[in-house]
Amino acid sequence: MNKNQNIAMGISLAVVAIMVGSAEIFGEKEIIFPEITAVAMGALIAPVQSWNTSRIRLFAAIVSAAVAGVCIVRFIPEILILRIALGLLVAVSVITLSKTSFVPAVSACILPILMGTKSPVYVISVAVMTAFILIFQKVLEYFGLHEKYEYRPIEPSSELLKLRAKQVITALVIFVLPAHFHEIFFIAPPLIVAFFELSGKGSKLMNRKYTAIALMAVAAFAGVMARFFISEKLGLTLTFGAVLSSAVIFVLCRKAKLYFPPCCAISTLPFIIPKTAIIKFPFEVTAGYIVLTIAAVIIAKIDNNTN
């Protein structure tokens, strides 16, 4: 398994290098889609695919969500909490209608909203980078280097719809203050994805929530350290820093035996934020995820008491 995972990690790091390198070459920051490292973790590196979805549905969900996010920025009034609310509703609808558990689609929709992205370049990058990952997944499966996942449609039952409503409402209540003060790292898209995964019915992540918090914090600090020391101080490329921080978190996830895709996205996010925000990023991310973890625990306890 380690040999197969090493191959998957190598492929994933190559995709990160292509993505960030392209952004540097063309001067288009919108090419950098941090969630692609999460998709790589869940689709390639994890022994079993992290989400109940097929390749086609995964691709359709993430691209649809990305398009929706850009459209919201273009056409909806510049009221951040309104845009976030609409983005969450659209993303959750996409996930539900696709009959999958592919919650990273939430990140694809919310990221352009938080960053104010209007460029179609972002959508193209999401589509191309996701396609790379899925093609490589197919290749690894063909050569017996990755276990094939058997997708089972998730029907939108009343129970699921109630859970999604609780998740969206809870998230929006938490997001009001960060959105008002525009402290967006408290509600960074990968944190939202992690919240949805953690508060899902029968979440295995709940049993390792403290490890998840630790990985999220380490990922945030690793990304910032790589950006600050390697790219800013040493003057090396963002590509080198992004690949290094991704490699660190890939290895840590494997060592912890917790294949936690959202923390991988967090490690890449520092490479698209302003220099002036680097210092506060890991602290706000960690604090935000702790709050969202507490909220997820409360949702889980309420559900357990009502069942």
Side-chain angles (χ1 to χ4, degrees):
M1 178 58 70
N2 280 348
K3 180 181 177 181
N4 294 351
Q5 282 186 329
N6 288 341
I7 294 171
M9 285 172 60
I11 292 171
S12 301
L13 293 175
V15 172
V16 172
I18 292 170
M19 177 178 68
V20 181
S22 298
E24 290 191 284
I25 291 170
F26 296 109
E28 290 280 0
K29 188 178 289 186
E30 287 82 2
I31 292 175
I32 301 177
F33 176 49
E35 197 66 27
I36 205 64
T37 52
V39 177
M41 168 60 75
L44 296 179
I45 300 172
V48 179
Q49 183 173 281
S50 299
W51 315 282
N52 184 17
T53 182
S54 65
R55 274 184 283 270
I56 293 176
R57 289 170 187 263
L58 186 158
F59 183 81
I62 202 167
V63 174
S64 298
V67 170
V70 171
C71 288
I72 288 170
V73 175
R74 280 179 171 268
F75 303 115
I76 300 301
E78 199 170 343
I79 303 171
L80 186 55
I81 191 63
L82 173 63
R83 288 179 170 181
I84 292 172
L86 186 56
L88 279 178
L89 288 173
V90 171
V92 168
S93 297
V94 166
I95 296 165
T96 304
L97 292 174
S98 67
K99 298 182 179 181
T100 72
S101 65
F102 186 64
V103 288
V106 172
S107 184
C109 186
I110 299 298
L111 180 63
I113 292 172
L114 296 184
M115 303 300 292
T117 301
K118 298 180 180 179
S119 173
V121 171
Y122 169 75
V123 177
I124 294 170
S125 177
V126 170
V128 171
M129 295 304 158
T130 302
F132 279 163
I133 294 296
L134 297 179
I135 289 169
F136 284 127
Q137 185 193 56
K138 180 70 174 178
V139 171
L140 291 178
E141 288 176 359
Y142 178 80
F143 287 104
L145 300 175
H146 192 273
E147 183 176 332
K148 186 176 181 179
Y149 187 86
E150 294 295 332
Y151 164 65
R152 299 171 300 281
I154 301 173
E155 297 299 329
S157 63
S158 59
E159 184 181 5
L160 176 61
L161 295 178
K162 287 178 182 177
L163 172 62
R164 293 299 186 217
K166 289 177 189 175
Q167 291 172 322
V168 170
I169 292 170
T170 302
L172 288 176
V173 170
I174 293 171
F175 296 169
V176 169
L177 284 179
H180 177 73
F181 292 104
H182 210 76
E183 295 293 344
I184 59 175
F185 302 141
F186 284 108
I187 54 175
L191 304 186
I192 305 173
V193 173
F195 165 72
F196 272 80
E197 292 185 352
L198 188 61
S199 57
K201 183 180 179 182
S203 172
K204 295 180 181 178
L205 184 60
M206 186 63 74
N207 295 327
R208 302 198 63 189
K209 54 184 175 290
Y210 300 115
T211 304
I213 291 172
L215 283 174
M216 193 70 82
V218 170
F221 278 97
V224 163
M225 296 287 278
R227 166 78 185 272
F228 183 75
F229 287 108
I230 294 176
S231 301
E232 302 297 337
K233 291 299 182 182
L234 296 180
L236 299 178
T237 63
L238 289 176
T239 303
F240 187 81
V243 169
L244 181 60
S245 63
S246 295
V248 168
I249 201 63
F250 287 164
V251 170
L252 288 177
C253 284
R254 186 165 74 176
K255 291 291 184 183
K257 295 182 180 180
L258 179 60
Y259 299 93
F260 185 38
C263 71
C264 301
I266 281 292
S267 72
T268 310
L269 196 53
F271 295 91
I272 63 172
I273 65 176
K275 294 179 185 179
T276 53
I278 290 177
I279 293 177
K280 68 179 181 179
F281 176 83
F283 299 101
E284 291 191 0
V285 163
T286 303
Y289 186 56
I290 289 172
V291 171
L292 287 168
T293 297
I294 293 170
V297 170
I298 293 172
I299 289 176
K301 286 187 176 181
I302 292 173
D303 285 345
N304 289 336
N305 290 335
T306 55
N307 290 336

